[in-house]
Every structure is written in C-alpha cells, then in structure tokens.
Amino acid sequence: MKLAPQSVPYRALQKVSGFVVIAFFIVNSNDWGLPAAAAAGGAILLVALAYEVAYYRRFAYELTADTLDISSGVISRREREIPYRRIQNVDVSQSVIQRAITIAAVDLETAGGSSTEGSIRFVKPDEATRIRREVQRRKSGSSAGEGGAVDGTADVRETAAADRDAVGPEEEELFAISPGELALVGALSFDGRLIGLLAFLSSGSVPVLSGFIPEASAVALTATAIVAVGGLFLVSWVLGAGVAFSNYYGFRLSRAGDELRYERGLFRRYSGSIPTEKVQTLTVSDNPAKRALGYASLSIETAGYAPGQSGDGGSQAAVPIATTDRVYRLAHEVESFGTPTFSRPPKRIRWRYVVRYAMVVAVLVGVAFAVDWYVTPDLPWYGPAVLLLAVPPAAHLKWKHRGYWLGDDHLLTRNGFWSRTVTVVPYYRIQTVIDSRTIFQRRWDVATVVADTAGSSSLAGTSAAAVDFELDEAIELRETLQERLQSSLASHRDRRDRFEWFEGGVDETVEPNRDADAADAADAADADADADVDNVDIADAEDPTEPADTGSAVGATDPAESADAAGIPDADRGRERTEAPVDDGAASEDVDDADTDHPDDAHTDDAEDAHTDDETGTEIPDDGVIRPDFSTSDRDYSEPAERIDTGDYAVDRFPSDADVARRDDGPEAETDDSAESDDSAESDDSAESDDSAESDDSAESDDSAESDDETDETEK
Amino acid sequence: MTTQSLHPRVQVVWVLRAVIVAAVLSLPFAGAFYLGRLPRWAPAAAGGAFLTLGVVHAVLKYRRWSYEIREDALYLDRGVITQVRTTVPLVRIQHVDSRRGPVERGVGLASCVVYTAGSRGADVRIPGLTPGGASDLREELKRLAIRADGEDAV
C-alpha cells in the first residue's frame, strides 16, 4: 500500500519551511534583492519536493498474514517487518493542517527500541482507521491463545465478537469528558515548568528595563517584582489551562473487545488503541486541590513508548480528571484489582521524615543566611525557619500516604505526600524485583522494595515502590512478589496451552464468517491476503488434534492396531496411513474434496514432509504434545552447519519451538479433515495396506508415498 | 546452584578505578596548590584520603557481591552504601551479553550483562568472572531463559 499523495507536498513544506524562511532572511539582508531570495527558496523547495517524491515512491507498507511490512528509504533502504502480536499500541494523530488536507499520521509502537518502530506518514484518515482495525483484528487472530476464552460460552462470545469486529467494532464507552471536567482540568493544570521558562525568557529583559528605571525606590522595586511574579503565575496558569484544554478537548475512552480506544484534542486530534493485554501499569494520582474536590486522574502505561517520547510522558490514554470513585471504576474496568487496604510503614519512620524535612529547612535557612551575609545585612535570614512548623504534618502525611497492598493478581503501592500516586502492577507484568537499603534506611532497619515493569513512566521515578518497610517485611514482600509472578506466569501458560486444544473448534465456526466478511469489507487485494490468513489458521488450529485423530480413528476400527498406533514413532507414517486409502481407492473423492481447494498444498507438502519427517523422526509422546528439544547440541559453532538438501524449502532440522514442529505437518490436516469420512468408510482397506507397509522397511513406505504423489500428478 | 562470589581479582579492577577517581577528585586541590592557595601536602593528603576510601569501598564491595541462579530467577546481592538485592525472573531475560573491557582484559577477567525489558533494572551486570566463566554463564542463562518460555518476556 502507498501513502496518500497529498503527503508529498505537505512533508516537503514541513521539512523546509523553517529553512526557507531563514534562508530568505539571510539572502534578503545581504541585499541581493528579492528575486535571488525567492530563487534560493524555490530551489530548496524543489530539492525537498524531489526527495519527497522519491520517498513517496519508495515507501510501501503491507498487511501480511502475521506481520506488518514497511519498506522505505531513499538513500539507505530499509525493510521492516513488525509481527502483529508484538505491537503494543497504535496511535493516529492529525494536526489542524493535516485535517484540512485529510491526512493522518499512524505510529505503531513495540516494546523494544528507543523510537517509534512503525511510523507511517501520512495516509488518508479512513486508511489510518483501517490499519488500526486490521492490526487489531489480525493480532487477535494470530494470538487467539491469549484471548482468555476457556470454556464453551466464552468461545461463542469470542466468535461473535470476531464476527462483529470485521464489520464494525462495537464500542463500549468507558469515559467521556464533560465540559465541567474539562474546565476543571484547565483550572487545575498549573504547570510549574512554564513559570521557569517564562522567568528565564523575561529575565533577559531585566537589564534592558533597568536602564529605563532611573531612581527606583526599594518599595517601588518590590512592588514591581510582586506584580511581575504575579503576572508570571497568571500567564503560565492561563497558558497551562489553554494547553490542557486543547489537549483534552473531547476526550473519550472506550473499550472495543479486548482493546481500549481513546481520542482527544481540539486542534490536533489524537486517537489510538491499546490492547488490554499489553497494559503494564495503571497509575491513579491526585494532589491536594484534586483531593479536596474529590477528583483524581488515571494513566495507563504500556511498554510501547520510549521514555520522554510524545510529550505527556508516554501515556496517551490518560484520563485527565474524574471523580475519585469513577477513576477507580475505570481502573477496575481495565484491571480488576479489588478493594485495596494499604498497609503502612512502621510509625517510627515518621521521625525519619521529620529529620529529613528539618534538614531541608536547615539548608534553606543556611542559604538565606549566606545570601544575607553576602549581599545586604538587613534581611531576616531566619525567615525560612517558619517552615519548621510545617515539618511534623508533612512527615505525618508522607507516612500516611505510603503503603502497599497485595491483591489477588495485583500489587498496589501508594506514595507521595503532596501529590499522591497509587500504582497498580499486575504480578504478571513484573520484570524485576529490587529491594534496597540505603545507609540511612539501615539505621532505621527499613528497606524499599521496587517492582519494576516495562512501563515507560518508571524512569520518571513513579514505578511501584513500597518504601520504608521493616526489613523482614520487605524481604518477605520480595519473595512473595517473586512467587506470585511465577504462579501468574504458570496460570497464563496453562490457559494458553489449554486453549490451543480448543482453537480448532473456534476457528471452524469463525471460518465462514470471516471469509465472507473479509470479502465484502476489504478490497480485493486484501481479501486475497485474508484467505491466506485463514488457510494458515485452519492448518494451525487443526494440527495439534491431528495425530490424536488419526490414532483414534485407526484404533477404533482395528483394536489390534491401536497399540501399534500409539507406539508409532513417526507422525508421517500415521498420516500416510490415512492418506493411502484416499489415493488408492477413492480417486474421485480426492479430486472433488481436498485437491480442488488446495491443489498445490497437498502435493508440495506431501513431498516435503516425506523428506523432513523421516529424517528428524519426530516422536509423539503419549499425551500427543510435541515438546521442543532443549538438550544442548555438541555442535561446534565455529564450523559451518552441515547442509541438508531440502530442495526449494528451508527446513529447520531442530525446531526450537513446539509450534514449528506441529506446523510442519499443518496443511496435511485439511486433507485429513476432509478425508475423515473416507477414512472410516475404508478403514478395512487402509488397515490392510498399512500392515503391509509396516512390515516392510521404511524405504519402501517412502517409495509408496512418492508413487502416490506421482499418481496424484498424473491424475491432474 | 549455590551462592557464587566474584573472582578476587575483580578488586584490582575496582582499585584501579578508585585510583582514577581519586586522581580526578584531587585535581582541584592540585590546582589550588599550583595557585598557591594550599600548602604542598594538601593535594597528596586529599588524593590519599580519596584513594583509601576507594580501596576500602572496593574491598567491601567485593565481599558484599554475590549472585545465584535459582530455579526460576537470578538473584544478585550487592552494594556497600546502598545495599541492593535484585531478583531477575528468568522468563524476563531479553538477551545476555558477555563482555570484556580493556581493564578487565588486562587482569584476565570478563563480565556478563543480563538485559530485561524493565526500565529500572533493565541491565544487570555481573562483573568479576573468568572469560570462560562469563561465556558459560551466558550460555547457561540463555538456556534457562529459553526453557522459561520467552512468550512472556514483556
């Protein structure tokens, strides 16, 4: 797929506009006249346009069965494949100009790397929506095992969801900002950084202004200073309010299936999706003003954003403000963590905070004294000492707001005496557990336990930390977290593994719907791709059950054979057994069923499998699950690998992944499936032919397989 | 695997580092002496003090440092001023490096770095290994990480 054609002039202008203006001024000031300036600007613009045209021609993206492929680059070229299941979130943004010329920027984030991994600039808005939807749909298709549908009813629901999704996703609104809340966001978003910036900017004018104030009295100076500072506050407040207002205008958070969608922005529209399974942490924060009014804010972290990226510290889907209980309801929608009851650090730790804050005050007094001693000897340098009064309440609040709670599936921590933050970390998301004791903490016999996640805000210091807990408690907490992480991993794995056995059933029911939907929803090229996906799906889904099927089918017909079937080490042979009758007896069936649908698959895979399976000799254990072989090979890696001639196919002799091992004989499953009825009908026949094959050596059975192929081909 | 301590020679690496740090820290004193603000012994005394601190720190650090590979996680216990114990679940390991800096090569040591997707403990370094030991540890961790199912790495 290509970018939108409008993006060429837009990108060109965007890149050179600043440069052109500067160049224009430089040329103009050298009084070479306007024509020269215009010519220079035009030349630069032309070069940029040429580059962008080349970029446009080179840039192509494609939604394949399980990856998003982007090939780009004019001078150095790059081909990038992003697996759908690795995509953390998809963001779409449109500035005012972009909206005017109907283009949108799409950013796809994965967990690795320091920048956005897939950035598509720019496509038409509906194409952007389509990318977002397709990515989500295919992701849930390719990792259906993680969906969490375990029992039959859930399967049905999932099927229905997938069905709807292709037509038009059904969204359940979680949160929409009301005008009152928006006004509150503006009023409460006082940005301290802006003051700093404005003070810095305006300080440049002080020397200039001081020339105009000839003989200012101290009173007048102080008055001006107060007014200036007040003005500064007011301006930064208004600016902050304006920025927050335009950022969160029309904020909407909704849930569609297993993903969260958000959109917001007045001038620049942001929208995007976050799969709920990729949510790393939730953070609920408030400050005294919000607490007094009964409000709080919520942010949702994923591993997608690099620290410092995209302005708001990464979290695009932050609910700026809502009443506290609503925030908790929303948080429960995303991660249901129950009602927390925080346990606090020991009370004696308050003395530590008293000492700490007292030291801060002492330092302030010291600084004031130094300034006083150095500049004018009249100021009351002991003024900051008044702050000592605030020390005990601050220490108490700090202690009061600290805490942690171990839920069924989540760790909650709470920190901060001024702006209070509650961090929710699912055990399943914990990356490392760190407990540390600084030299000061050791004096009080306390320790800090940090549960690190892959979320992006952790760098800013808001990772889940249980600070200043008793040593024993901290060590116990660390052990507990480690244990619960392991058990959550085990349960996730369990669910996934169990699900694979159901997958066949689910996909069978999904199958026809999906095909139909794809055909009418997407364009022709896409429908092709979809058909591919479905083929793979069905193969994947069915192969785990395949060996069991053949085994049982044969076993049912011939009791004597059943023991044999279980003991047969070769999957291939088991399959040949079922195929043999198809090829031998029912040539007509063969043609009408399997081969009309997938003429190529049946042949090529047959041939390939005859090779690979015989060589590797994949054994099927009693439970029918092929597990990867983790025994270390004694291969010398400085030597090149021994070559195996597999014809045109790349074959992994020692698949490191159980899925791969199963997938090897995947497409066969279809023949199996279709031939199942034949199988039972001609079981006698097959048993007979198989017996003979069994008694002979393997070379002959190979031969027979090949001859079958040949007959197949001649039939064609 | 029982608790492992580092190779004693790693102290040489840390002491060398302490020497460099001490030299840098005593530079201002040397400058002040050069400008005639401080007596002759001041830079030497400062350098000596920093060096002593550095050496003591290095020795204590060596004594404190230990690591252990348990069934499902890598445990590290280290730190002199701030004592830190880190648990890295083997499932979370993204990749493992073994590396040798110039000083490490000089004393015939190597170190092993374990990376996770986390933000704070994103890379965990185990210094003071013999080159063979570092490669072995790397291979061992790799094997354990694969066994632990990389599907859950993030």
Side-chain angles (χ1 to χ4, degrees):
Chain A
M1 305 286 282
K2 285 290 192 187
L3 299 175
Q6 307 94 297
S7 67
V8 175
Y10 179 77
R11 281 177 60 96
L13 283 174
Q14 189 190 24
K15 266 206 186 129
V16 298
S17 55
F19 191 65
V20 165
V21 169
I22 291 170
F24 187 83
F25 272 108
I26 290 173
V27 174
N28 217 10
S29 65
N30 283 351
D31 56 57
W32 291 335
L34 199 66
I44 293 166
L45 194 60
L46 271 182
V47 170
L49 263 179
Y51 178 85
E52 292 305 335
V53 168
Y55 181 87
Y56 171 77
R57 291 171 66 93
R58 278 290 306 163
F59 196 101
Y61 63 92
E62 192 190 351
L63 295 149
T64 66
D66 34 35
T67 55
L68 171 70
D69 298 359
I70 300 177
S71 62
S72 65
V74 176
I75 293 158
S76 67
R77 296 186 169 171
R78 184 171 69 187
E79 313 253 327
R80 181 171 266 183
E81 295 183 9
I82 308 174
Y84 292 129
R85 50 194 308 181
R86 293 291 182 226
I87 292 173
Q88 298 276 340
N89 37 11
V90 184
D91 295 311
V92 179
S93 71
Q94 277 185 289
S95 69
V96 179
I97 302 170
Q98 288 165 12
R99 268 196 285 172
I101 60 173
T102 63
I103 51 173
V106 182
D107 287 322
L108 299 125
E109 309 277 353
T110 67
S114 56
S115 61
T116 303
E117 276 72 26
S119 132
I120 302 174
R121 272 151 219 264
F122 298 90
V123 290
K124 295 232 171 65
D126 42 346
E127 172 66 7
T129 316
R130 193 187 74 89
I131 292 175
R132 204 182 65 190
R133 267 187 207 157
E134 283 294 299
V135 165
Q136 199 264 334
R137 196 169 70 81
R138 293 181 184 200
K139 176 157 62 181
S140 54
S142 70
S143 67
E146 284 168 315
V150 177
D151 55 344
T153 55
D155 286 354
V156 173
R157 223 185 313 126
E158 189 117 307
T159 313
D163 192 9
R164 275 198 308 271
D165 217 40
V167 183
E170 193 208 14
E171 290 191 355
E172 175 201 352
E173 188 166 279
L174 295 181
F175 180 79
I177 200 162
S178 67
E181 283 164 339
L182 188 60
L184 207 58
V185 174
L188 290 180
S189 60
F190 176 80
D191 200 341
R193 283 170 301 180
L194 267 173
I195 295 191
L197 189 68
L198 286 175
F200 177 75
L201 287 179
S202 56
S203 67
S205 62
V206 168
V208 186
L209 285 177
S210 60
F212 293 100
I213 309 168
E215 309 240 331
S217 65
V219 180
L221 258 180
T222 323
T224 345
I226 288 171
V227 168
V229 168
L232 217 59
F233 267 78
L234 197 68
V235 168
S236 66
W237 184 64
V238 168
L239 277 179
V243 168
F245 185 80
S246 73
N247 257 342
Y248 291 112
Y249 178 83
F251 181 90
R252 215 172 138 266
L253 186 72
S254 60
R255 179 179 202 138
D258 54 356
E259 70 171 2
L260 297 169
R261 299 203 177 140
Y262 68 87
E263 54 186 52
R264 63 183 172 83
L266 177 62
F267 301 115
R268 192 184 182 89
R269 288 297 289 179
Y270 299 90
S271 61
S273 61
I274 299 173
T276 40
E277 70 188 44
K278 300 285 187 192
V279 170
Q280 296 279 336
T281 58
L282 297 178
T283 310
V284 178
S285 57
D286 53 20
N287 55 32
K290 285 182 189 169
R291 270 206 295 280
L293 296 168
Y295 283 93
S297 47
L298 169 75
S299 67
I300 300 164
E301 301 285 339
T302 66
Y305 302 104
Q309 197 183 329
S310 68
D312 306 303
S315 188
Q316 296 271 17
V319 174
I321 203 161
T323 50
T324 309
D325 56 331
R326 197 164 174 207
V327 160
Y328 276 99
R329 263 209 316 276
L330 277 175
H332 276 103
E333 280 282 329
V334 184
E335 294 278 349
S336 51
F337 50 83
T339 322
T341 44
F342 289 99
S343 59
R344 297 208 171 93
K347 280 191 173 168
R348 63 194 157 85
I349 212 67
R350 279 180 291 186
W351 285 106
R352 180 165 127 82
Y353 304 141
V354 167
V355 171
R356 191 193 287 178
Y357 287 133
M359 277 167 71
V360 171
V361 173
V363 167
L364 278 180
V365 172
V367 168
F369 178 73
V371 168
D372 180 52
W373 172 74
Y374 194 75
V375 191
T376 45
D378 289 341
L379 288 171
W381 53 266
Y382 39 82
V386 177
L387 286 175
L388 275 176
L389 287 177
V391 164
H396 177 76
L397 273 182
K398 192 165 180 95
W399 166 79
K400 197 178 157 206
H401 287 170
R402 279 214 200 288
Y404 76 92
W405 178 66
L406 291 167
D408 286 340
D409 297 307
H410 302 82
L411 164 74
L412 270 74
T413 64
R414 190 174 60 177
N415 280 302
F417 98 93
W418 183 255
S419 69
R420 191 173 57 173
T421 327
V422 175
T423 313
V424 181
V425 180
Y427 297 132
Y428 179 62
R429 295 296 173 199
I430 293 175
Q431 288 281 338
T432 54
V433 186
I434 306 164
D435 85 299
S436 60
R437 280 141 294 150
T438 64
I439 199 162
F440 304 107
Q441 280 182 317
R442 261 177 286 164
R443 280 168 50 108
W444 293 92
D445 273 337
V446 290
T448 297
V449 178
V450 178
D452 188 31
T453 61
S456 46
S457 78
S458 311
L459 268 195
T462 55
S463 62
V467 187
D468 288 341
F469 282 88
E470 295 273 14
L471 211 54
D472 307 339
E473 202 180 348
I475 289 170
E476 203 188 308
L477 176 61
R478 190 194 60 193
E479 301 287 338
T480 317
L481 287 178
Q482 168 67 15
E483 272 164 30
R484 297 208 176 176
L485 165 63
Q486 292 300 338
S487 60
S488 73
L489 283 171
S491 73
H492 266 250
R493 213 170 290 155
D494 195 30
R495 204 167 4 166
R496 202 163 51 220
D497 288 351
R498 211 167 351 141
F499 189 75
E500 279 180 8
W501 294 93
F502 277 88
E503 211 172 7
V506 178
D507 267 9
E508 258 165 13
T509 51
V510 171
E511 187 58 29
N513 292 340
R514 263 210 206 158
D515 254 343
D517 289 334
D520 53 49
D523 48 325
D526 222 26
D528 267 4
D530 267 58
D532 277 349
V533 180
D534 290 333
N535 279 349
V536 175
D537 268 355
I538 207 178
D540 264 357
E542 250 133 36
D543 58 48
T545 54
E546 186 254 319
D549 270 359
T550 40
S552 62
V554 173
T557 50
D558 194 348
E561 191 73 14
S562 69
D564 208 352
I568 285 173
D570 204 339
D572 195 40
R573 207 174 295 167
R575 203 182 48 248
E576 266 167 30
R577 165 173 320 195
T578 55
E579 258 163 45
V582 179
D583 290 332
D584 285 346
S588 59
E589 299 242 8
D590 194 16
V591 173
D592 84 56
D593 225 340
D595 272 20
T596 38
D597 284 346
H598 309 280
D600 288 334
D601 283 4
H603 282 298
T604 52
D605 285 51
D606 216 4
E608 181 200 340
D609 279 0
H611 267 288
T612 54
D613 277 11
D614 276 350
E615 265 166 315
T616 53
T618 322
E619 288 191 17
I620 303 179
D622 291 339
D623 55 357
V625 179
I626 305 171
R627 294 197 173 72
D629 176 21
F630 286 118
S631 57
T632 48
S633 74
D634 46 0
R635 194 190 129 192
D636 180 5
Y637 284 94
S638 59
E639 296 293 318
E642 64 176 297
R643 289 185 63 92
I644 307 151
D645 185 17
T646 54
D648 292 337
Y649 296 92
V651 176
D652 190 356
R653 267 193 87 199
F654 303 107
S656 62
D657 191 340
D659 284 347
V660 176
R662 290 201 210 102
R663 205 165 287 144
D664 271 346
D665 39 29
E668 233 41 70
E670 277 171 45
T671 2
D672 253 289
D673 194 30
S674 54
E676 211 148 37
S677 56
D678 307 335
D679 198 11
S680 54
E682 288 173 357
S683 53
D684 296 351
D685 212 359
S686 75
E688 209 182 319
S689 67
D690 281 329
D691 265 349
S692 64
E694 199 77 311
S695 56
D696 293 340
D697 57 358
S698 63
E700 204 175 313
S701 73
D702 259 4
D703 271 351
S704 72
E706 266 168 39
S707 64
D708 285 346
D709 280 349
E710 276 163 25
T711 52
D712 246 344
E713 262 162 31
T714 48
E715 269 164 31
K716 280 269 103 76
Chain B
M1 194 176 182
T2 50
T3 307
Q4 307 273 310
S5 56
L6 305 182
H7 194 283
R9 231 181 298 152
V10 75
Q11 293 171 92
V12 178
V13 180
W14 288 337
V15 166
L16 276 176
R17 198 177 297 161
V19 168
I20 294 169
V21 171
V24 170
L25 284 180
S26 50
L27 263 183
F29 291 89
F33 162 69
Y34 186 74
L35 295 175
R37 296 274 185 94
L38 282 176
R40 174 184 282 274
W41 51 265
F50 287 131
L51 189 61
T52 319
L53 281 178
V55 169
V56 169
H57 185 258
V59 172
L60 288 178
K61 192 170 164 187
Y62 166 71
R63 288 203 187 151
R64 177 87 199 150
W65 235 108
S66 69
Y67 68 94
E68 183 182 355
I69 301 175
R70 287 194 210 161
E71 191 191 352
D72 45 18
L74 169 68
Y75 283 78
L76 305 164
D77 189 351
R78 64 199 194 279
V80 177
I81 292 168
T82 301
Q83 297 176 348
V84 183
R85 291 201 195 111
T86 312
T87 310
V88 185
L90 296 173
V91 206
R92 301 302 198 204
I93 294 178
Q94 297 276 337
H95 61 278
V96 191
D97 280 356
S98 60
R99 58 166 73 172
R100 309 186 69 190
V103 183
E104 283 178 322
R105 273 204 297 268
V107 297
L109 287 178
S111 48
C112 192
V113 190
V114 179
Y115 296 85
T116 66
S119 39
R120 215 178 248 206
D123 48 336
V124 175
R125 187 186 184 118
I126 305 172
L129 303 166
T130 57
S135 316
D136 288 350
L137 184 63
R138 190 195 63 218
E139 287 301 313
E140 175 76 3
L141 287 173
K142 182 201 79 178
R143 201 175 60 79
L144 291 170
I146 292 173
R147 198 193 64 182
D149 191 356
E151 210 42 59
D152 297 314
V154 175

